[in-house]
C-alpha cells in the first residue's frame, strides 16, 4: 500500500478491547511513516489515543446519534466529510463494523477484517474434548488485519507510553510518591465468573498494606463499585479510592505511575499494560490461552487454578458456572496473589 494513506480503524467495544488496539496502531504508524490512522470507537475512549502522532480519534455514539443503520450511515458520511479514507481495518467484525466497512467498500475502498478464530476458541472452552492450547493473541490478530492491507506491523514488547505527570487533582489526593510503592488494585469485572470474591481480595489488600512504604490505589467504575471500594478503604488505612474521582485521562496518568497493578481479566489490565506496568492478573472462568493477556505481560504474572478440567468455560466469562461453586476463583488463595505482587515490586 502507498505510504501516504489514511486508514480507518473500527472497534466499537468495551474499554479493554479498545485499549488492546493501541499498541498495534502505534506500531503500524512507526513502521509506516507516511500512514495516518483515524480510529473510530466509543465516544468516551478518546484519551487512549493521546500523544500518538498521526492517530486521530473519531467518536462514535452507537446508542445515540449513530444508532442503527441510519445512524451508522450518518457516521460514515461524517467520517468522509472530515477525512479522505483510503482503506478500512475492521478490528471488531460485528454487525455495526460490518455495516460501516460495507459503506466504504461500496465507495471503492479496500477493507480487511479480524479473524476472531471462533472455532479454536470454541474448542478451548467446550467441556468435552477440550483443546487446551494457546491461541493466536488478540494483539496479533489485530496486527494481521493491517498486514492484509499491505502495511508493515512488527510487534515488539516495549511500552506504548511513558509515565505521565499527575493532574493537580490527583496530586492533591495522592501527593508525590517520594519512594512509596504504589500498588493498583482493580478487583471488579463485568461478570462474576471473572471476579475474585471481594472478601478474599480484602485479605490480599491487608497483606499488601502490611508492607512498609506501600500505598494501595483502588480502581473501578460506576457508583456501585465506587461505593464498595469506599467501604473497603475505611478498613485499610493505606488504601485510597481512585474510582469515580477522575477523568479517563487523569486515571491513565495515575496508572502510569504504578509499580504494579492487580487486575481481573478486565480493562485495567490492558490500561496498565500500555505503560509497561507489571500486571498481576487473576483468571477464573476465562484463560490467557484465549489471547486476551495484557500486552507484553509475561505468562508468569497470571494467577489461576491450572488443574481444573472445566477451565476455561468461556472466552469472555459471560456464561454461568456450570459447577455452581465458582471453584476457579474460590480455590485461589489470597496469598497466591499477594506473593506474586510482592515479587513484582
Amino acid at each position: 500500500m502507498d505510504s501516504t494513506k489514511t486508514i480507518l480503524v473500527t472497534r466499537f467495544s468495551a474499554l479493554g478491547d479498545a485499549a488492546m488496539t493501541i499498541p498495534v496502531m502505534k506500531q503500524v504508524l512507526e513502521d509506516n511513516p507516511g500512514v495516518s490512522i483515524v480510529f473510530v470507537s466509543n465516544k468516551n475512549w478518546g484519551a487512549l489515543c493521546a500523544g500518538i502522532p498521526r492517530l486521530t480519534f473519531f467518536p462514535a455514539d452507537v446508542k445515540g446519534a449513530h444508532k442503527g443503520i441510519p445512524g451508522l450511515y450518518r457516521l460514515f458520511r461524517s467520517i468522509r466529510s472530515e477525512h479522505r479514507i483510503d482503506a478500512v481495518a475492521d478490528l471488531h467484525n460485528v454487525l455495526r463494523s460490518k455495516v460501516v466497512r460495507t459503506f466504504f467498500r461500496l465507495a471503492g475502498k479496500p477493507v480487511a477484517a479480524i479473524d476472531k478464530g471462533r472455532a479454536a476458541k470454541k474448542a478451548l472452552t467446550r467441556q468435552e474434548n477440550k483443546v487446551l492450547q494457546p491461541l493466536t493473541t488478540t494483539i496479533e490478530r489485530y496486527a494481521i488485519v493491517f498486514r492484509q492491507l499491505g502495511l508493515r506491523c512488527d510487534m515488539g514488547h516495549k511500552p506504548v507510553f511513558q509515565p505521565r505527570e499527575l493532574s493537580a487533582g490527583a496530586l492533591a489526593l495522592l501527593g508525590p510518591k517520594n519512594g512509596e510503592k504504589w500498588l493498583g488494585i482493580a478487583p471488579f469485572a463485568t461478570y462474576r465468573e471473572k471476579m475474585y470474591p471481594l472478601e478474599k481480595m480484602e485479605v490480599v489488600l491487608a497483606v499488601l498494606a502490611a508492607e512498609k512504604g506501600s500505598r494501595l490505589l483502588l480502581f473501578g467504575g460506576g457508583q456501585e463499585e465506587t461505593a464498595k471500594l469506599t467501604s473497603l478503604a475505611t478498613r485499610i488505612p493505606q488504601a485510597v479510592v481512585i474510582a469515580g474521582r477522575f477523568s479517563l485521562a487523569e486515571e491513565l496518568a495515575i496508572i502510569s505511575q504504578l509499580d504494579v497493578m492487580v487486575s481481573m481479566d478486565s480493562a485495567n489490565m490492558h490500561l496498565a499494560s500500555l505503560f509497561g506496568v507489571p500486571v498481576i492478573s487473576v483468571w477464573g472462568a476465562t484463560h490467557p490461552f484465549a489471547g486476551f493477556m495484557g500486552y507484553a505481560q509475561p505468562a508468569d504474572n497470571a494467577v489461576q487454578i491450572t488443574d481444573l478440567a472445566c477451565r476455561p468455560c468461556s472466552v469472555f466469562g459471560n456464561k454461568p458456572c456450570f459447577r455452581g461453586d465458582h471453584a476457579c476463583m474460590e480455590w485461589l488463595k489470597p496469598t497466591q496473589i499477594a506473593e506474586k505482587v510482592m515479587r513484582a515490586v
Side-chain angles (χ1 to χ4, degrees):
M1 177 175 283
D2 190 312
S3 61
T4 58
K5 299 291 187 181
T6 298
I7 310 301
L8 180 74
V9 176
T10 56
R11 179 81 212 203
F12 308 109
S13 55
L15 178 57
D17 297 314
M20 292 181 78
T21 68
I22 302 299
V24 185
M25 291 192 293
K26 188 180 183 193
Q27 192 64 54
V28 168
L29 293 169
E30 289 181 359
D31 290 346
N32 303 271
V35 167
S36 297
I37 289 176
V38 176
F39 180 44
V40 182
S41 190
N42 182 305
K43 63 181 181 178
N44 299 314
W45 308 152
L48 293 174
C49 299
I52 302 180
R54 310 194 317 277
L55 176 59
T56 301
F57 182 74
F58 200 103
D61 182 9
V62 296
K63 294 183 179 178
H66 304 133
K67 184 177 181 179
I69 302 294
L72 292 172
Y73 184 66
R74 197 176 300 121
L75 175 63
F76 160 71
R77 292 191 61 181
S78 296
I79 295 167
R80 289 191 79 193
S81 71
E82 294 185 33
H83 302 279
R84 192 201 73 183
I85 301 299
D86 297 289
V88 177
D90 180 356
L91 303 188
H92 204 174
N93 206 1
V94 294
L95 182 58
R96 285 188 184 114
S97 62
K98 289 176 181 177
V99 169
V100 172
R101 83 185 192 220
T102 297
F103 290 144
F104 279 98
R105 180 185 279 124
L106 292 173
K109 308 302 179 185
V111 304
I114 187 172
D115 176 359
K116 294 183 176 180
R118 287 191 173 93
K121 287 174 180 173
K122 187 174 182 180
L124 175 68
T125 55
R126 66 194 179 200
Q127 292 307 313
E128 302 293 330
N129 303 313
K130 186 185 293 292
V131 182
L132 190 63
Q133 63 183 27
L135 306 183
T136 303
T137 67
T138 300
I139 295 280
E140 178 60 17
R141 291 184 191 278
Y142 288 162
I144 289 169
V145 178
F146 290 101
R147 295 179 199 133
Q148 289 173 343
L149 292 172
L151 298 167
R152 281 187 57 213
C153 183
D154 300 325
M155 293 304 301
H157 300 283
K158 62 185 178 182
V160 178
F161 299 120
Q162 296 301 307
R164 296 176 178 174
E165 290 187 8
L166 299 182
S167 67
L171 277 171
L173 176 67
L174 297 169
K177 281 185 77 171
N178 289 338
E180 276 187 328
K181 295 292 185 182
W182 283 8
L183 315 180
I185 312 291
F188 298 107
T190 307
Y191 304 106
R192 179 188 173 187
E193 282 67 24
K194 294 206 299 184
M195 190 175 133
Y196 194 55
L198 199 56
E199 64 275 11
K200 291 177 181 282
M201 185 57 79
E202 184 170 349
V203 177
V204 177
L205 267 64
V207 173
L208 297 177
E211 292 294 306
K212 189 176 180 181
S214 293
R215 188 98 73 95
L216 309 180
L217 279 55
L218 308 184
F219 293 84
Q223 290 184 342
E224 185 179 347
E225 291 184 4
T226 302
K228 288 179 179 178
L229 292 177
T230 301
S231 173
L232 186 60
T234 63
R235 300 187 292 277
I236 309 282
Q238 291 88 341
V240 182
V241 178
I242 303 300
R245 287 179 157 165
F246 299 101
S247 67
L248 178 57
E250 290 175 304
E251 206 161 288
L252 287 172
I254 295 170
I255 289 172
S256 80
Q257 297 281 347
L258 296 177
D259 293 281
V260 67
M261 170 70 87
V262 180
S263 174
M264 307 300 104
D265 170 19
S266 60
N268 281 288
M269 169 174 65
H270 301 296
L271 298 179
S273 296
L274 296 178
F275 296 95
V277 174
V279 180
I280 303 306
S281 52
V282 184
W283 300 76
T286 59
H287 199 292
F289 280 5
F292 293 96
M293 188 74 167
Y295 166 69
Q297 294 292 335
D300 189 53
N301 278 3
V303 184
Q304 57 186 330
I305 299 290
T306 56
D307 56 355
L308 261 178
C310 56
R311 283 196 68 237
C313 62
S314 71
V315 174
F316 305 110
N318 55 346
K319 295 179 181 178
C321 174
F322 84 99
R323 291 169 52 111
D325 64 354
H326 296 90
C328 56
M329 283 297 192
E330 294 289 348
W331 291 3
L332 283 174
K333 295 180 175 64
T335 51
Q336 291 176 260
I337 300 173
E339 286 169 5
K340 284 215 182 224
V341 173
M342 288 186 284
R343 281 202 296 269
V345 290

